Amino acid sequence: MLPSEHRLRRREDFATAVRRGRRAGRPSLVVHLRSGATDPHAPGESAPPTRAGFVVSKAVGGAVVRNTVKRRLRHLMRERVALFPPGSLVVVRALPGAGDADHAQLARDLDAAIERLLGGGAR
């Protein structure tokens, strides 16, 4: 489970990450990243932790499938949240193929998308 301080909850934060951040798409998901370096912080305060949120629509499948995909993605992000700069906003949007993908496939797609965003890979 992703710790509470690393969860993205507010609609404005989701919108900021999706509209103003960079994105990398894979066959089963799209990762949006708003880097922490561009977020303004009050002087003298430490940068907030990286926060991640998930969007899994009905196109992915029924309620059981959507919840399974969300649980898998939360588990995968828990291990990878330290890779991002402090204060980053990350939104992982599951595509319809995510419902049929197994845990290993989701992990490969997530790793590839993160590598593309953090490594500066060509589009």
Side-chain angles (χ1 to χ4, degrees):
M1 182 65 86
L2 194 62
S4 180
E5 66 269 8
H6 292 292
R7 292 188 196 156
L8 197 60
R9 291 192 174 96
R10 292 180 32 214
R11 179 184 180 125
E12 297 83 23
D13 293 338
F14 275 89
T16 299
V18 171
R19 292 187 184 136
R20 295 188 181 149
R22 298 175 51 214
R23 75 174 184 266
R26 305 305 307 156
S28 63
L29 52 85
V30 176
V31 178
H32 299 269
L33 171 65
R34 174 73 172 178
S35 180
T38 59
D39 289 345
H41 301 295
E45 293 186 16
S46 62
T50 297
R51 292 179 293 151
F54 306 93
V55 178
V56 184
S57 73
K58 288 184 180 180
V60 173
V64 173
V65 173
R66 290 195 312 269
N67 286 324
T68 301
V69 169
K70 279 189 276 191
R71 280 195 314 271
R72 287 177 177 171
L73 290 173
R74 277 197 306 263
H75 176 75
L76 291 168
M77 275 304 293
R78 179 185 66 174
E79 300 166 353
R80 293 158 178 84
V81 75
L83 298 173
F84 296 97
S88 296
L89 302 177
V90 182
V91 174
V92 180
R93 183 168 43 98
L95 298 176
D100 298 327
D102 61 353
H103 188 79
Q105 181 62 42
L106 285 175
R108 282 192 299 271
D109 285 351
L110 185 60
D111 286 337
I114 291 171
E115 175 65 28
R116 189 169 178 188
L117 286 171
L118 297 179
R123 287 191 171 215

